[in-house]
Amino acid sequence: MKSILFYLPVVGSYAQITKGMAGINDQNYQNMLYQLTKQSQLADDLGYWGVAFTEHHFHIEGFEESNNPILLDLYVAMQTTNIKVGQMANVLPFQNPIRLAEDIAMLDHMSRGRAFVGIARGYQKRWADVLGQTYNVGATFSDRSERDLANRQRFNEHWELLKELWTSETVSTSTEHWQVPPPGIEFNHAAVDEYGRGQDQNGVITEIGIAPKPLQKPYPQVFQPFSFSEESFRFCAREGIVPIVMNTDDEIISRLLDVYQEEAEASGHGQLKRGQRIGIFRDVLVSRDAEEAHYWARRGNGFVFPKWFGPMGFGEVLRRKGEEGAVGSDYETLNERGFEFVGTPDQINRQVEALVANHNPEYLLQWQYSGPVPHDVQMRSMELWQTEVAPNWL
C-alpha cells in the first residue's frame, strides 16, 4: 500500500485560526512553508510514495491555503529527491485546460518524472462561482441538477482536451466550448513551415501543440478525489484514473469497488486485483500515547472538519448504508465511523489490517494538519507510521 501525504495546507496554529483571519498573516504562511519543507524532506527520507496538495482559493480563514497545488508541488520537488508530487486536485471545469496541460508537463520535467495529476469537479461555491464565471459554470455536489450536468460536461470536455494535448504532437479539435485553434489566425511565419508544423499554405494556423510533453508517457498517473458516485467510479475505471474514496461504510465502499472492477474489465483494462488503482482517504496521526494523538487530532481534523467541511455536506461520507437523518461531523463521529486512523502504532495497525482485509487499496491518502497539529507531533507521527505501520502493509 502506497502512502501519500495530503496537505490542505492549514496556515496558522489552532489558537491563531480561532482568533480569525489567520490566512493573511505573512509569518503564518512562512511557518507553513518551513514545516512543509521539513516534513516533505523527512517523508522523502522515510520512503513515502507521494505528497499532494489541493486547489482552493480565498481562504483568508487559513483552513486550506492552497490556491496553486502545482506551485507547491514544484516547491517540494526542488527540495527532495525521490518522493512523488501531485495535486488532489486541480478543479478542472474552472481551469484553462491548455495552460494546465503545459503546467503539468513542465512540473513532470522539473521533478524528473515524479509528478502525478489530480482532477476534480469543484464544490466550494465561494471561489468556484467567482473563478468559474467566465466559463459559465459553477460548483456542484453531484445532485443531477442543471448546474451539476453543466459542470460535468465541462469537466469531461477539459479532460479530453488535456489528454489530446499530452499525447498528440499537434492538435486540431472542436468541442462545445473550445475550438483549438480558432479559425482565421494568420501567422504566416516561415519558421513554422521550416521547423514545425500546423500552418497552411496561406499562413493560417491549423494546428497547435504544447511543448514540452510530459516526461512520463503517455502522461503521469491521474487521480480523482473525492469520488462518491457510481458514475464517477465508472468514469475513472474507463480512463485508468485512481478514484480516492472518502466514505467510511464498508458496504458502500465494496459496492464502489465492484463497480470499478466491472467497468475496468468491460473497458479493456483486464481483470484488476481487488483494490488495484483505488485510493482510500483517512486522517492519520500516530503517537506512542493514544490520548496525546486524539488530543491533537481533535485540534486538527476534529476542528477543521466540523467547522468547514461538515456544513458543506461532507458528513455524508460518514453515513452508513440505509441510515436516515442527519449525520454528525464532530470528532467523536469521525472517530467512531472509522475516518480517524489516530492512536498508537498497534492500534493503527489493527485499523489498517481491517482496511486491507476488506478493500486492499493500492493507495492510502493521509490527511496532514500542519498548523493546528504541532510540527514536532507530525514529524513523530510520520516516522512512526513509516517505521512501525507501513512495513506491515507493503
Side-chain angles (χ1 to χ4, degrees):
M1 189 165 58
K2 299 165 184 171
S3 298
I4 305 176
L5 298 172
F6 176 62
Y7 290 88
L8 291 173
V10 181
V11 174
S13 67
Y14 175 84
Q16 290 164 338
I17 291 173
T18 54
K19 288 180 180 178
M21 298 296 284
I24 63 172
N25 184 304
D26 292 340
Q27 189 57 55
N28 284 349
Y29 196 81
Q30 288 296 313
N31 290 343
M32 180 276 290
L33 291 177
Y34 170 81
Q35 293 180 27
L36 182 58
T37 295
K38 296 303 181 182
Q39 290 175 27
S40 298
Q41 289 171 338
L42 177 62
D44 193 30
D45 291 341
L46 291 171
Y48 277 81
W49 187 86
V51 60
F53 306 96
T54 189
E55 181 199 356
H56 288 303
H57 302 269
F58 313 148
H59 272 259
I60 54 177
E61 300 85 5
F63 284 129
E64 44 182 328
E65 204 155 325
S66 187
N67 20 340
N68 191 324
I70 295 173
L71 272 181
L72 285 167
D73 286 339
L74 184 59
Y75 177 78
V76 169
M78 293 297 98
Q79 301 179 85
T80 55
T81 304
N82 298 306
I83 196 166
K84 296 181 182 295
V85 293
Q87 316 90 48
M88 294 286 180
N90 303 288
V91 182
L92 204 50
F94 317 119
Q95 291 270 2
N96 181 317
I98 303 171
R99 292 294 301 270
L100 183 61
E102 291 178 327
D103 289 350
I104 288 173
M106 290 175 66
L107 173 67
D108 200 31
H109 277 272
M110 292 176 180
S111 65
R112 298 187 180 183
R114 289 190 280 145
F116 59 93
V117 181
I119 55 174
R121 296 181 57 207
Y123 67 89
Q124 288 195 21
K125 292 185 67 174
R126 179 175 63 174
W127 77 261
D129 287 13
V130 173
L131 296 187
Q133 61 184 300
T134 57
Y135 292 104
N136 196 30
V137 65
T140 183
F141 240 113
S142 300
D143 57 4
R144 306 298 299 175
S145 64
E146 183 176 342
R147 168 189 282 250
D148 175 51
L149 295 175
N151 179 292
R152 184 175 290 280
Q153 193 278 335
R154 187 67 72 116
F155 172 88
N156 291 335
E157 185 179 9
H158 287 189
W159 167 241
E160 291 299 324
L161 188 51
L162 272 178
K163 288 191 296 179
E164 192 170 0
L165 289 163
W166 282 333
T167 56
S168 301
E169 286 188 351
T170 55
V171 171
S172 177
T173 190
S174 180
T175 67
E176 182 176 345
H177 298 101
W178 287 92
Q179 187 160 354
V180 182
I185 298 177
E186 296 183 8
F187 198 52
N188 200 23
H189 200 321
V192 174
D193 296 328
E194 191 170 0
Y195 306 116
R197 74 184 201 205
Q199 181 175 263
D200 70 13
Q201 65 272 20
N202 298 314
V204 175
I205 296 299
T206 59
E207 297 175 304
I208 59 96
I210 68 164
K213 304 295 182 188
L215 182 60
Q216 299 175 77
K217 305 302 180 189
Y219 44 80
Q221 177 63 64
V222 180
F223 295 75
Q224 185 173 342
F226 296 101
S227 301
F228 306 105
S229 69
E230 291 190 11
E231 183 177 5
S232 292
F233 272 74
R234 292 191 185 279
F235 165 79
C236 288
R238 291 192 299 269
E239 297 294 325
I241 294 171
V242 177
I244 301 294
V245 185
M246 198 173 179
N247 301 78
T248 57
D249 182 83
D250 285 326
E251 190 175 350
I252 293 173
I253 297 172
S254 291
R255 173 56 187 164
L256 293 173
L257 267 59
D258 288 342
V259 164
Y260 190 89
Q261 284 186 294
E262 293 165 4
E263 193 72 25
E265 185 174 2
S267 302
H269 292 280
Q271 183 62 53
L272 300 181
K273 296 179 181 178
R274 188 69 168 176
Q276 185 179 352
R277 275 191 355 212
I278 296 291
I280 301 286
F281 181 38
R282 295 292 181 262
D283 185 35
V284 175
L285 191 63
V286 195
S287 174
R288 293 285 181 211
D289 186 318
E291 286 190 16
E292 179 190 65
H294 285 289
Y295 173 83
W296 290 118
R298 281 189 177 89
R299 289 179 168 239
N301 194 45
F303 166 58
V304 178
F305 197 100
K307 287 291 186 180
W308 191 256
F309 296 103
M312 292 184 187
F314 273 85
E316 287 300 307
V317 304
L318 307 174
R319 186 178 298 280
R320 291 172 176 152
K321 186 174 176 60
E323 186 176 20
E324 297 181 357
V327 179
S329 59
D330 57 278
Y331 183 74
E332 285 66 31
T333 303
L334 286 161
N335 190 44
E336 185 267 331
R337 299 285 169 114
F339 191 75
E340 302 296 309
F341 278 22
V342 174
T344 66
D346 287 344
Q347 291 170 330
I348 293 174
N349 267 306
R350 289 196 291 273
Q351 289 180 284
V352 177
E353 181 180 19
L355 181 69
V356 170
N358 290 327
H359 311 298
N360 197 29
E362 184 174 352
Y363 301 90
L364 183 66
L365 187 65
Q366 303 181 15
W367 216 338
Q368 304 295 298
Y369 278 98
S370 56
V373 178
H375 178 57
D376 63 312
V377 173
Q378 282 199 289
M379 294 282 276
R380 286 200 308 273
S381 173
M382 291 164 55
E383 184 175 359
L384 287 170
W385 171 272
Q386 202 64 7
T387 58
E388 298 191 25
V389 179
N392 298 315
W393 312 107
L394 294 177

